[in-house]
Amino acid sequence: MKGDVKNALTYTIIGLVVVFFIFLSKIVTLFTDYWWFDALGFKTIFLISLQTKIALFFAAAIIFFLFLMLNIWIASKFHNPKMNILPMKIKVLVALILSVVVGAATSTKWFVLLQYLKQTPFNLADPIFMKDVAFYVFSLPFMLAVWKFAMTTLIITTILVALDYFQSMIATVFTKPKVNFDPTAKVQTQAYDFKGFFSKLKRKALVHITILASFVFILLASKHYLTQFSIMYSEQGIVVGAGYTDVVVFLPIIKLLMIFAAIIVVLFYVWLFFISKEPKLRKRHIVGTIVVLYLIFAVFGPTVIPGIVQTLRVSPNELNLEKPYIENNIKFTKIAYGLDGVQEKDFSAAKKVTAELLENASETLDNVRLLDWRPLKQTYKQTQEIRLYYDLSGIDIDRYTIGDKYTQVMLAPREMDQRDITANAQTWVNLHEVYTHGFGAVVSPVNEVTKEGLPNFLVKNIPPVSEYPELEITQPRVYYGEKDNNYVVANTKTEEFDYPQGTTNQYVHYDGKGGVKLDSFFKKLMMALKFKDIKLLLSSDIEPESKIMFSRQVQKRIKKITPFLELDEDPYLVIVDGRMKWIQDAYTVTGNYPYSHKFGRINYIRNAVKIVVDAYDGNVIYYIADMDDPLVYTYAKIFPKQFRLLEDMPAGLKEHIRYPEDLFKVQSNIYSTYHMNDPTVFYNKEDAWQIPHEIYGTGQQVNVEPYYIIIKLPGESKEEFVLMTSFTPIKKDNMISWFAARSDNDQYGNLLLYKFPKDKLVYGPLQIEAKFDQDSEISQQLTLWSQQGSRVTRGNLLVIPIEDSILYIEPLYLQAESGQLPQLKRVLVSDGERVVMEESLSEALEVLFGKVKVVEEKKETVVIKENPLEQANEYYNAIQAAMKEGDWSEIGDNFDKLGEILQSINVSS
């Protein structure tokens, strides 16, 4: 007895150790994530998510285990205990393992459960079943999840029970019977009636499995009930959603299958309790035949019959029969994508562009985006990265009121890219304690360039320098950004590298709120296990006030907190009150909106949340931008006090929210078809549009990307920041309309469509590109540059509405084949009829329309002396002196002046 207890204890300890190591990573993640969420103030999200997962896991595992073991126990009562191949302990162990697997799989539906419990109505019913949209978005996914769990439990139980009966039968067949020997008896009798037992076991097994099979058909009947709602996402007709065949044919078939499955359940019990008791009526094949007929009808009925009806009845009369369903699809698709409120206006394009017209649109012309962000990346890198380990590739577009002028700018944070640190300097201390953050940002107007075609910086150098108070950066350190760097430990005994200054470096200690304090041995141990880095535990530099910062990439940081939100592709940087902050647009999406056209896996989207992440502290704040969205309202109810209202956003930040580009692309794609409200026009695709093409880069034909621009919309009194694109008819290049999303103040989110007259030719981007290429002077100049070893890069062709006319502008960049510094060298301009190419926008406009005032060059004029080589040497020496002092502003100024002198020497030679 003692030996058994000792063995049991030994096995238990070994089992616990094995389980511990199996789940060690889960335990480590649990602790470290809790500290991380708690440091950010999102402990509520972590705990609610965890508690729901655990509750769902245990609920599913216990229900599965009890149901399975109940049936195994019932089956075991019909066995001869001596004729079991598998002992009960093995069966219990298998049941426990399967329960854990099923529980873990079910726990992944935690958010489906929470959405169901906290759902918010859409106050919009579908036209077929008259159910609120919330039923499809919240309730139906939950019901399907419950059904899947129940069916999984039932199928696994049925299979295991059948195998249990089978193994008992096998044991019965192969067990040699004992015989009672009686010398006086003429016939020897067996001690056990094996034949009778086998027959009885078969009968009881059949009864048991038949009852389980009846449960399966009850679930199949319920699945048919739920399947009828799938017609709201049907893609069998000409539009997504229930069509004529779905409603008239498919729906009745599904209802018949539901009734058929219910009848089979009744037949099972009739056969069990009535027919099976009459030996002459044991016709099991009758039930089997009915089941086979049901299965044949279930497989072919919902597909073959609707297909026949679609071909013979619907196709010849498709428009008449499908018309009401097309109307439903148009209505629900527009609502789902936020397009039901688009304001459509006429744009006659009747006015001819004149100098007077352009003078009245001076603020628009002053903000024409001549600098394209793609070639600008190389310019930023070459002129402002300062050190190899800095990166300025994340260029964003925004607007600021500088002085009293509304100005569109490009800006990029100077982030640390640890991959670019010299290989022999990539030590553990350098990667995790020294090179911890980036420094500052670079800002330049979208249209101001120097005479060399380089951007005119409003913020530049290290430390960041700006003569404009609105762009002053008092906290320039970037610990959290778009770069996915290693974890770092701040506030250690080792000083952090801050920024380079001449031949020396400046160092700093972090004093922000970001990170998790390593104030105990247990925390250091857990973090060392998380990152598989023993040095975290052994380092003598780490003190109780030291903080470990991880998940520093902005989007990964947000995704970790709220995995249920979809994120815009590009978070953008803003400078507010001397600090740098990231604004990330987030979307609530679903693929379960009835009657809505699919875009990828979704058919509903709202930009319901604006997320702000501090570049220094890493703190994250969620602002609800659309309180009319039932999804975000549901999320706010699930996680109380984790979302703030947009009205609580500081005024300085609110000035920089903008309409998100990814959402606009989706809406543009959908609206290119769904601007057609008439079902007949929609059916025939008479007025279908597409996103136009342009010539970009070194000559590639690409889709026109939407672009931000400051313009005065027709009928408005002042310029505003909008995101716009244009449309052309399908398979044609002429422009049919332009589409704009407003971003400023109370107009934020309003969508406008300006339609050109259908009887008037308005040139599209590709047609204007062809006009540029066909101009002999332009063509000759482009060819000449190419022959001289320079690469010509074409920027985006901008279609700019000015009052009731259209202006086309395209920047042209020149880059030496061996160089990495693209320079804005020419600007192409057209009014639709004439085209010109000049060195600046103002010169191009003057050639076309006469004198027009445009701000685009801003640079101190350098007076060329008699001996330019001597003068060049002076600027070179000034650059060397400034480098020793670490005066990057002086370096930049003298570098520009040196460039002008060298250019003058080249021209004169």
Side-chain angles (χ1 to χ4, degrees), residues 233-340:
Y233 320 123
S234 171
E235 298 184 38
Q236 300 303 313
I238 58 174
V239 293
V240 173
Y244 177 86
T245 304
D246 296 312
V247 174
V248 176
V249 182
F250 180 81
L251 203 54
I253 289 174
I254 292 300
K255 289 180 179 178
L256 281 175
L257 283 170
M258 183 170 60
I259 296 170
F260 204 164
I263 290 172
I264 289 175
V265 173
V266 174
L267 284 177
F268 275 143
Y269 289 106
V270 169
W271 180 78
L272 284 174
F273 295 108
F274 295 100
I275 299 179
S276 63
K277 293 182 179 180
E278 299 293 332
K280 294 181 180 180
L281 297 175
R282 289 180 185 171
K283 304 295 184 181
R284 292 192 295 268
H285 66 274
I286 294 176
V287 177
T289 302
I290 294 173
V291 170
V292 170
L293 289 174
Y294 162 80
L295 294 175
I296 292 172
F297 187 54
V299 171
F300 296 104
T303 54
V304 175
I305 297 175
I308 294 172
V309 173
Q310 181 72 29
T311 302
L312 301 181
R313 166 69 176 149
V314 178
S315 293
N317 308 281
E318 194 167 44
L319 178 57
N320 292 330
L321 295 177
E322 297 285 8
K323 195 170 184 178
Y325 306 107
I326 294 174
E327 289 175 342
N328 291 337
N329 173 259
I330 293 172
K331 174 186 175 182
F332 278 79
T333 297
K334 282 189 167 185
I335 294 173
Y337 289 97
L339 295 168
D340 53 318

Side-chain angles (χ1 to χ4, degrees), residues 16 109 119 124 130 188 197 206 214-215 266-267 334 341 365 450 481 506 633 643 655 677 696 699 714 734 770 804 818:
L16 289 174
K109 300 295 183 181
Q119 64 180 278
L124 175 68
M130 300 308 295
Q188 302 301 319
F197 171 76
L206 191 60
S214 72
F215 293 161
V266 174
L267 284 177
K334 282 189 167 185
L365 295 177
T450 67
Q506 291 294 311
Y633 197 76
F643 294 84
E655 291 175 0
N677 294 311
Y696 181 79
N734 61 290
D804 204 13
S818 58

Side-chain angles (χ1 to χ4, degrees), residues 16 34 48 87 92 112 133 170 312 432 475-476 490 500 506 510 559 688 702 871:
L16 289 174
Y34 173 77
I48 290 175
V92 171
V112 173
V133 172
I170 294 295
L312 301 181
H432 298 290
Q475 181 47 270
Q506 291 294 311
Y510 182 73
K559 265 294 186 185
V702 299
Q871 190 176 4

Side-chain angles (χ1 to χ4, degrees), residues 338-339 341-343 659 664 667 739-742 749-753:
L339 295 168
V342 175
Q343 301 175 49
Y659 202 84
F664 190 67
Q667 290 176 318
F739 194 35
R742 306 172 82 167
N750 290 339
L751 297 173
L752 301 169
L753 181 79

